[in-house]
Amino acid sequence: MAKSTARFVCQNCGAVAPRWQGRCDTCGEWNTIVEEQPEAPRAPGPAGKSAGGRRLEFVALKGRAAPPPRTVSGMAELDRVLGGGFVPGSVILVGGDPGIGKSTILLQAAARIANAGRRVLYISGEEAIDQVRLRALRLGLQDSPLGLAATTSLRDIAASLEEEKEATLVIIDSIQTVWLDSLDSAPGTVSQVRACAAELTRLAKTRNFAVVLVGHVTKEGTLAGPRVLEHMVDATLYFEGDRGHQFRILRAVKNRFGATDEIGVFEMTDRGLVEVANPSALFLAERRGNISGSAVFAGMEGTRPVLVEIQVLLSPSASGGSPRRQVVGWDSGRLAMLMAVLESRCRVSLGQNDVYLNIAGGLRVSEPAADLAVGGGLVSAATDRPTDPDMVFFGEIGLSGEVRQVSQTDTRLREAAKLGFAAAMLPRRVARGGRAATAHDGLRLSEIGHLADLVAPLAASAAKGAEKSPKKE
Ligand code: TYD
Ligand code: MG
């Protein structure tokens, strides 16, 4: 007889360890291993060749395939991230830090769809009915005809949904709180989360309603527990943002029915989440011109251009040890690379300074196209000369200091022109045969081929400035 059938499962990555240990060997997280009872043994697979199996009918790739119908919420930012609305029968995972606004946005979307005459069910495992009602009152949605229930029992949820004929959308807030009593593991463990999601997925497909699973995220930005769900669901959306900021960004990281990397921007107000139709204006709202270390990046988030300010601060290292590199909203490895390129290819000395880099407004930028703007910020901080406040920057930088092409040049330039910028610094476009300055939508363009072309003007103006006026104390 086997001694024990218990398994030790990492709640972060789902890896199974043979015994309890403090740190997961697979993902390196501490204190994530939990003992779980094994899931019920599966029915034995077909013994032999084809016992009980049905012969498949293979069809041609070409055929009629209608685009899926969609239920739009009327919140344009949400609908766009979803790829045009909720698809019936699909399962959507919405992840985010606790308190970021997941319940709020879903209640708002649910109420709007219910107001449009669809049947929407909101099942809360985290909050009591009264708490949800209070939130609805605060949001002014108390008259919405959506169905509300508070439970954590998946058995009850399944029994109710099995009977559902009309539901269009079902929201489970959150997947970590619901549990199946046939499993011994605690709610929120990998096996519970997986089993509950599998059951809800089955219901969504058979009853043809969309299911939204809410999942909490650990501080490292991965869905704890629910991370194992990412491959099961049709779409994964992250709701991100800094609780110190008003902005919230809904980002699609997986979407079987739409584009990924699409974002929706919202602002948290005292009456819930409000859509932000023009994020660039919002991200640049508090920008002050003529400060060294600042450069505006003309970025792309999915299909949409977003202008953000990149801020760099250099300060002499106090400790005398190795200088600090503190990065918010960008990749610190990329910053180290860029600094090395500046030092060895452009002879910009960043020396023993601590370097702080911040993407203003709480956005996370992952595009390599931000290199040139970060370079602009670094050089500007190092020379203590502001970059042209009416100029935007974009372009990827290679290890030899070359400025490389990026996609969607026209969209970026159009957005910059729309927001009243007068100039742009961008990679030299090959087709133009290296002509340095052309115009686009009234923008002055400085097309450059090497990072040194960005450094030279700032360094020159710094030298001139130093001659004229001795540096202020
Ligand atoms: P919530 O949706 O409960 O977060 P989550 O479900 O992701 O845990 O959001 C809670 C936060 O939002 C809370 O700190 C209060 C704030 N909030 C507002 O600022 N305005 C509002 O109208 C509402 C409903 C919440
Ligand atoms: Mg919540």
Side-chain angles (χ1 to χ4, degrees):
M1 178 109 202
K3 274 183 295 181
S4 161
T5 48
R7 312 184 310 154
F8 295 88
V9 181
C10 171
Q11 303 301 304
N12 186 52
C13 68
V16 180
R19 68 192 77 79
W20 190 87
Q21 52 200 48
R23 182 166 187 256
C24 172
D25 291 335
T26 309
C27 67
E29 284 297 303
W30 289 93
N31 295 326
T32 54
I33 306 239
V34 167
E35 179 175 351
E36 291 190 7
Q37 297 305 318
E39 291 161 40
R42 302 218 172 103
K49 278 181 294 178
S50 57
R54 187 174 56 85
R55 210 190 142 116
L56 297 177
E57 223 177 87
F58 291 94
V59 297
L61 207 47
K62 192 172 155 191
R64 270 204 292 158
R70 306 260 183 180
T71 307
V72 293
S73 69
M75 297 170 85
E77 294 290 301
L78 171 64
D79 290 335
R80 202 192 43 252
V81 174
L82 286 168
F86 293 96
V87 176
S90 69
V91 181
I92 298 135
L93 178 64
V94 176
D97 286 321
I100 203 77
K102 300 181 293 297
S103 304
T104 306
I105 190 172
L106 290 170
L107 189 64
Q108 286 180 270
R112 284 202 179 207
I113 295 174
N115 284 340
R118 307 298 195 94
R119 181 154 166 82
V120 180
L121 304 173
Y122 189 104
I123 300 169
S124 176
E126 302 209 326
E127 292 163 301
I129 298 269
D130 283 352
Q131 278 174 290
V132 183
R133 282 190 174 149
L134 278 175
R135 175 177 296 130
L137 198 63
R138 180 171 177 187
L139 297 171
L141 300 172
Q142 68 278 18
D143 297 325
S144 169
L146 71 81
L148 175 64
T151 179
T152 57
S153 159
L154 194 81
R155 192 174 291 275
D156 295 351
I157 296 173
S160 325
L161 294 183
E162 203 77 71
E163 307 279 289
E164 262 315 315
K165 299 239 158 42
E166 252 123 66
T168 311
L169 176 64
V170 177
I171 291 162
I172 309 289
D173 188 1
S174 68
I175 188 68
Q176 276 123 325
T177 52
V178 294
W179 60 294
L180 259 174
D181 50 13
S182 56
L183 293 181
D184 280 338
S185 321
T189 53
V190 170
S191 37
Q192 279 288 1
V193 162
R194 200 181 293 172
C196 292
E199 176 63 7
L200 289 162
T201 306
R202 186 189 64 78
L203 286 161
K205 306 286 175 213
T206 52
R207 295 272 138 219
N208 208 34
F209 47 66
V211 170
V212 175
L213 307 175
V214 175
H216 293 297
V217 164
T218 59
K219 62 177 186 313
E220 288 77 24
T222 49
L223 286 169
R227 189 183 172 186
V228 297
L229 299 182
E230 277 190 34
H231 72 279
M232 295 170 66
V233 298
D234 296 304
T236 304
L237 314 182
Y238 279 96
F239 206 31
E240 18 173 271
D242 198 84
R243 249 180 298 169
H245 285 110
Q246 301 299 90
F247 323 124
R248 299 286 183 272
I249 289 152
L250 189 66
R251 191 187 290 276
V253 293
K254 163 179 176 174
N255 194 349
R256 287 183 183 150
F257 300 108
T260 50
D261 283 333
E262 196 66 77
I263 65 163
V265 184
F266 298 86
E267 193 175 354
M268 181 63 100
T269 69
D270 55 356
R271 302 218 55 200
L273 288 153
V274 177
E275 299 169 57
V276 175
N278 188 348
S280 301
L282 182 82
F283 289 127
L284 295 178
E286 284 162 70
R287 186 171 70 106
R288 294 151 163 255
N290 274 321
I291 296 225
S292 68
S294 148
V296 176
F297 167 49
M300 293 294 302
E301 292 287 347
T303 55
R304 147 203 259 213
V306 177
L307 266 48
V308 286
E309 182 189 359
I310 294 192
Q311 303 175 325
V312 178
L313 180 68
L314 300 185
S315 82
S317 187
S319 55
S322 57
R324 295 179 59 139
R325 308 278 180 255
Q326 202 70 43
V327 183
V328 179
W330 207 51
D331 178 24
S332 52
R334 198 101 201 152
L335 173 67
M337 184 203 89
L338 209 55
M339 289 173 57
V341 171
L342 272 174
E343 295 204 324
S344 56
R345 307 280 183 204
C346 311
R347 277 182 249 113
V348 173
S349 160
L350 300 165
Q352 282 297 305
N353 285 314
D354 290 340
V355 179
Y356 300 90
L357 177 92
N358 179 39
I359 309 288
L363 192 72
R364 268 203 70 79
V365 172
S366 53
E367 264 193 298
D371 291 353
L372 192 59
V374 174
L378 278 168
V379 177
S380 158
T383 53
D384 199 19
R385 291 284 124 181
T387 60
D388 179 351
D390 288 324
M391 182 180 267
V392 298
F393 298 79
F394 60 90
E396 181 178 345
I397 291 167
L399 281 182
S400 66
E402 81 277 17
V403 178
R404 300 167 155 254
Q405 295 287 329
V406 297
S407 62
Q408 317 246 39
T409 299
D410 285 341
T411 318
R412 297 173 200 265
L413 291 176
R414 221 170 297 129
E415 177 80 354
K418 203 171 89 192
L419 278 136
F421 284 87
M425 187 171 276
L426 65 158
R428 182 172 294 156
R429 285 181 278 183
V430 189
R432 303 249 169 135
R435 259 192 296 144
T438 48
H440 184 287
D441 280 342
L443 289 178
R444 238 178 329 104
L445 302 189
S446 323
E447 299 186 18
I448 62 171
H450 195 275
L451 190 53
D453 302 338
L454 160 78
V455 175
L458 281 168
S461 93
K464 223 190 299 161
E467 263 167 35
K468 275 195 197 130
S469 59
K471 206 167 181 295
K472 280 186 230 113
E473 288 300 301

